[in-house]
């Protein structure tokens, strides 16, 4: 017995069900009767040992506000009466953000209103997915932990090596997915026929999806009760179901389209945009301001869809430009501007490494390494669209 897949939907009834089913603590569930009276160094270390142990194993939930018996079975809800529940949630989020190394992707904290007798308060649930960015250690003592049955234990050196190999293989599977998809685009095996021209491609892979923990229902997108994001458009003109999930296209007067988005059932997003010549240019144009804005808006819409589906917002993003040697890049320029100097890529295909964007980082700020790298690929210092504090601002 475990809590709901979508943590945001958790209610007291779900906690009562744990009690009714005599759900035991185990590799993926841990009960705490109450929050620490004070978050001193010892309390923070204990929390982060629990959190990193779950992340280094198969993931799990920590429930503050649940009493257990000697058999580690849930027996009673203990409401946590807090002066400010929002402040407590933010505090826990801050611990998980700053007290683990490397940073933990995909963790969630949910305050669940509960009432027992005449006492009202909250139970606090922390959800930690299995991580492919680890292994993680606790910053307070540099130790690595793993969940082993009902308890945590410190990892030995050979086990740490094995975890590094495991997480690298998980990351490699995501890179392989991207490579396979690019190969299909190159040979024309796309969900909808594309017009000729260079292809700009965005792959967004949520951390939970990378671990195989996500299944998105594509039907609401084909029924238009949910919006399928697209590059340069608020939504697709037409959405169709296929074996992979659902794909949306931009309808044109031509038989072939210039853009599509493929939503994969496992939570991956693929957006493709065909670059075309504009005005008096003989070559297709990638405008430095407009394309960055399009990517940011697309990924923000992806985040909105992840939120609706109860998926954590941490994601890895890959940018690719196939046929880059045919493209004119206009750095500090938008569509329709003529006050720019054209630049050119020196290779056929530009395939950028992944950028990991944590849930608490804005899309614009998180994408800066990729945008800078695109500019540097044509000899520029970096994107011209960032303020001194690192926020994306259209110049």
């Amino acid at each position: 017995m475990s809590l709901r897949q979508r943590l945001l939907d958790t209610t007291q009834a779900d906690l009562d069900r744990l009690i009714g089913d005599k759900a035991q603590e185990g590799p993926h569930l841990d009960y705490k009767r109450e929050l620490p009276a004070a978050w001193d160094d010892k309390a923070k270390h204990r929390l982060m040992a629990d959190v990193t142990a779950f992340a280094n194993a198969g993931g799990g939930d920590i429930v503050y506000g649940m009493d257990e018996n000697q058999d580690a079975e849930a027996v009673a809800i203990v409401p946590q009466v807090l002066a400010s529940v929002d402040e407590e949630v933010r505090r826990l989020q801050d611990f998980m953000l700053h007290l683990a190394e490397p940073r933990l992707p995909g963790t969630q904290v949910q305050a669940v209103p509960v009432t027992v007798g005449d006492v009202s308060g909250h139970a606090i649930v922390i959800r930690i997915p299995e991580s492919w960015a680890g292994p993680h250690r606790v910053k307070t003592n540099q130790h690595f932990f793993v969940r082993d049955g009902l308890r945590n234990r410190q990892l030995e050196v050979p086990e740490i090596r094995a975890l590094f190999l495991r997480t690298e293989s998980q990351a490699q599977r995501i890179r392989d997915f991207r490579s396979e998809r690019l190969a299909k685009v190159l040979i024309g095996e796309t969900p909808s026929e594309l017009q000729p021209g260079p292809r700009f491609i965005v792959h967004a892979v949520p951390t939970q999806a990378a671990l195989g923990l996500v299944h998105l229902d594509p039907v609401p997108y084909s029924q238009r009760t949910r919006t399928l994001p697209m590059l340069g458009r608020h939504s697709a003109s037409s959405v169709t179901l296929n074996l992979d999930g659902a794909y949306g296209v931009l309808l044109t007067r031509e038989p072939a389209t210039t853009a599509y988005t493929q939503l994969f059932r496992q939570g991956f997003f693929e957006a493709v945009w065909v670059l075309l010549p504009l005005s008096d240019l003989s070559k297709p144009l990638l405008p430095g301001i407009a394309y960055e804005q399009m990517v940011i808006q697309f990924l923000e819409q992806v985040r909105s869809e992840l939120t609706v589906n109860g998926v954590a917002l941490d994601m890895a993003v890959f940018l690719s430009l196939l046929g880059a040697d045919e493209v004119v890049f206009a750095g500090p320029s938008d569509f329709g501007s003529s006050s720019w100097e054209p630049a050119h890529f020196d290779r056929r295909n530009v395939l950028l490494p992944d950028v990991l964007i944590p849930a608490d980082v804005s899309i614009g700020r998180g994408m800066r390494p990729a945008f800078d790298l695109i500019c540097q690929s044509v000899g520029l210092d970096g994107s011209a669209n960032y303020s001194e504090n690192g926020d994306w601002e259209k110049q």
Side-chain angles (χ1 to χ4, degrees):
M1 175 65 189
S2 59
L3 295 174
R4 297 192 188 200
Q5 181 176 355
R6 178 179 156 92
L7 189 61
L8 288 172
D9 294 336
T10 301
T11 66
Q12 182 170 347
D14 298 303
L15 301 177
D16 288 333
R17 199 173 298 115
L18 292 177
I19 298 169
D21 292 343
K22 298 182 179 180
Q24 286 184 304
E25 285 187 322
H28 307 290
L29 188 60
D30 189 19
Y31 300 132
K32 310 287 187 185
R33 189 178 192 280
E34 54 195 9
L35 290 159
W39 283 108
D40 55 18
D41 289 343
K42 187 175 182 180
K44 287 187 282 190
H45 171 74
R46 285 177 176 171
L47 168 66
M48 295 311 300
D50 289 331
V51 169
T52 55
F54 276 128
N56 288 334
D61 293 330
I62 301 172
V63 183
Y64 281 98
M66 181 67 77
D67 206 357
E68 60 186 294
N69 61 19
Q70 60 183 4
D71 296 321
E73 298 171 341
V75 295
I77 295 174
V78 182
Q80 308 297 291
V81 181
L82 305 168
S84 171
V85 65
D86 291 340
E87 182 178 335
E88 191 66 25
V89 168
R90 286 194 298 270
R91 190 203 321 271
L92 292 169
Q93 291 171 332
D94 187 67
F95 291 159
M96 289 185 290
L97 179 63
H98 297 292
L99 298 182
E101 190 177 44
R103 292 176 66 170
L104 290 161
T107 55
Q108 298 172 271
V109 181
Q110 181 68 17
V112 181
V114 296
T115 299
V116 178
D118 59 354
V119 179
S120 295
H122 290 81
I124 306 294
V125 183
I126 302 175
R127 174 158 293 173
I128 309 100
E130 179 184 1
S131 176
W132 59 276
H136 302 272
R137 63 183 176 182
V138 181
K139 278 189 175 181
T140 53
N141 64 5
Q142 306 301 310
H143 288 168
F144 292 87
F145 295 90
V146 69
R147 187 74 173 177
D148 190 356
L150 301 179
R151 298 290 178 263
N152 306 327
R153 66 176 176 83
Q154 190 173 334
L155 287 171
E156 303 294 335
V157 171
E159 294 176 305
I160 295 172
R161 291 198 190 104
L163 270 180
F164 273 111
L165 291 174
R166 188 196 74 184
T167 52
E168 175 56 30
S169 68
Q170 290 169 334
Q172 187 59 47
R173 284 198 294 272
I174 303 306
R175 299 187 194 109
D176 290 344
F177 164 81
R178 185 242 199 144
S179 298
E180 178 184 343
R181 292 302 307 168
L182 292 180
K184 288 185 179 296
V185 173
L186 278 168
I187 64 176
E189 288 189 11
T190 52
S192 183
E193 182 185 358
L194 291 169
Q195 292 185 26
R199 278 96 161 103
F200 181 79
I201 304 170
V202 180
H203 286 106
V205 182
T207 300
Q208 284 180 269
L211 297 169
L213 303 177
V214 175
H215 177 80
L216 298 186
D217 181 4
V219 173
Y221 295 92
S222 66
Q223 295 178 341
R224 309 309 293 266
T225 57
R226 294 300 319 150
T227 299
L228 189 60
M230 288 199 73
L231 282 173
R233 296 290 187 277
H234 177 68
S235 63
S237 304
S238 173
V239 179
T240 306
L241 296 178
N242 62 4
L243 184 60
D244 292 320
Y247 71 93
V249 300
L250 174 64
L251 295 179
T252 66
R253 295 180 180 178
E254 302 293 331
T257 186
T258 58
Y260 77 79
T261 296
Q262 173 72 59
L263 166 66
F264 293 86
R265 298 174 193 270
Q266 64 265 48
F268 300 178
F269 288 80
E270 174 181 279
V272 178
W273 170 36
V274 179
L275 304 184
L276 301 173
L278 294 178
S279 63
D280 58 347
L281 291 176
S282 60
K283 287 190 173 184
L285 174 69
L286 183 67
I289 296 175
Y291 101 87
E292 290 184 6
Q293 191 168 35
M294 290 166 63
V295 171
I296 291 170
Q297 290 173 347
F298 171 75
L299 294 175
E300 287 174 344
Q301 288 179 273
V302 168
R303 273 189 168 178
S304 296
E305 295 309 305
L306 296 179
T307 298
V308 169
N309 287 282
V311 180
L313 301 185
D314 305 76
M315 70 174 79
V317 179
F318 299 84
L319 299 186
S320 310
L321 180 58
L322 306 182
D325 57 347
E326 302 174 19
V327 174
V328 172
F329 181 81
S333 174
D334 206 337
F335 287 117
S337 172
S338 59
S339 59
W340 48 266
E341 289 295 327
H344 303 275
F345 297 95
D346 64 355
R347 63 199 65 200
R348 179 63 179 166
N349 298 314
V350 174
L351 311 180
L352 300 193
D354 61 296
V355 175
L356 183 62
I357 307 180
D360 64 321
V361 174
S362 70
I363 295 296
R365 183 181 289 267
M367 286 302 299
R368 183 169 190 174
F371 293 159
D372 281 346
L373 196 52
I374 286 283
C375 290
Q376 290 164 10
S377 297
V378 295
L380 303 176
D381 291 341
S383 172
N385 303 316
Y386 282 86
S387 63
E388 292 183 359
N389 63 10
D391 291 328
W392 191 91
E393 294 182 359
K394 180 176 177 179
Q395 300 300 306

